[in-house]
Amino acid sequence: MTNLIPKEKRIDELIRFGAPKLFLENIGNVTELEFRVENTDGAYFYLPKILDYKIIRNQNIIPIFSCGESFYVFTFNKHTERIIHFELENDAIYTDYGNNWNVLLMDIMIQYFEDKIDNGIENNDFKRVGEKIGFHKAEKLFKLLDIPIEEYNTKYDQKEKWRIEIAKELEIL
């Protein structure tokens, strides 16, 4: 049976599974991540309607945050524990983080960097956003991302491979 953990138990349950408390407290409250890391109101509205999705069937589900019609949730049962990202209209997992909260935070920071790349972003601003979500490797991540545009584009062509290399360089994978 699929079970949606009630909103009032959400933070305690996520902390029990290793979620950084600072990150949870700041979901929906970091201006720089507006529309990327939003509160779970949408998840609690829509998830009860899709509990028959095969990707969450027979799981306990705890919404982490929403991003438009995308949801990041923690799922668990007696056999598995994992953070997954999926969209409302698609019964497929886009990203499976296992139970690695740091890789999830890294991806949030990479998205933030990509959102700001055209207008430029400073290391101090990037580091400050990392601090707001409890990602203490933001400064090192910024140095790995802040490379000449030609090199960035080449690496971006193999984004998943590059993402794994970055996570290993940050010693979070």
Side-chain angles (χ1 to χ4, degrees), residues 14-28:
L14 288 171
I15 289 171
R16 181 171 76 91
F17 287 108
K21 185 177 181 185
L22 181 62
F23 170 60
L24 297 175
E25 291 172 346
N26 282 320
I27 287 174

Side-chain angles (χ1 to χ4, degrees), residues 12-19 62 74-76 80-81 99 101:
D12 288 340
E13 285 295 299
L14 288 171
I15 289 171
R16 181 171 76 91
F17 287 108
I62 313 170
F74 189 86
T75 66
F76 66 99
T80 63
E81 296 177 2
N99 59 3
W101 292 95

Side-chain angles (χ1 to χ4, degrees), residues 53-168:
Y53 274 20
K54 68 180 186 228
I55 61 170
I56 55 176
R57 192 173 297 141
N58 298 319
Q59 301 285 315
N60 295 293
I61 304 159
I62 313 170
I64 303 169
F65 66 93
S66 299
C67 176
E69 293 185 357
S70 289
F71 301 108
Y72 290 77
V73 299
F74 189 86
T75 66
F76 66 99
N77 61 25
K78 61 183 177 181
H79 304 291
T80 63
E81 296 177 2
R82 63 187 183 165
I83 303 160
I84 62 170
H85 166 225
F86 67 97
E87 284 189 0
L88 184 59
E89 299 294 327
N90 195 355
D91 188 5
I93 295 172
Y94 290 170
T95 311
D96 183 339
Y97 293 94
N99 59 3
N100 193 326
W101 292 95
N102 281 316
V103 174
L104 172 64
L105 296 177
M106 177 193 78
D107 277 358
I108 292 169
M109 294 301 296
I110 290 172
Q111 289 173 354
Y112 172 59
F113 185 88
E114 290 172 356
D115 288 346
K116 298 297 180 187
I117 196 168
D118 289 337
N119 296 329
I121 183 169
E122 297 294 324
N123 187 8
N124 287 338
D125 296 332
F126 191 78
K127 185 178 173 185
R128 193 170 24 261
V129 171
E131 289 169 355
K132 290 179 183 179
I133 65 170
F135 187 66
H136 305 292
K137 302 209 177 227
E139 188 168 10
K140 188 171 183 178
L141 175 59
F142 183 85
K143 290 175 185 173
L144 294 170
L145 297 173
D146 190 33
I147 55 179
I149 193 70
E150 299 81 18
E151 184 180 352
Y152 188 93
N153 289 339
T154 300
K155 290 180 180 279
Y156 195 85
D157 287 341
Q158 296 185 345
K159 186 175 181 180
E160 188 56 32
K161 179 182 174 195
W162 186 30
R163 184 179 153 273
I164 291 168
E165 289 172 7
I166 289 171
K168 287 180 180 177

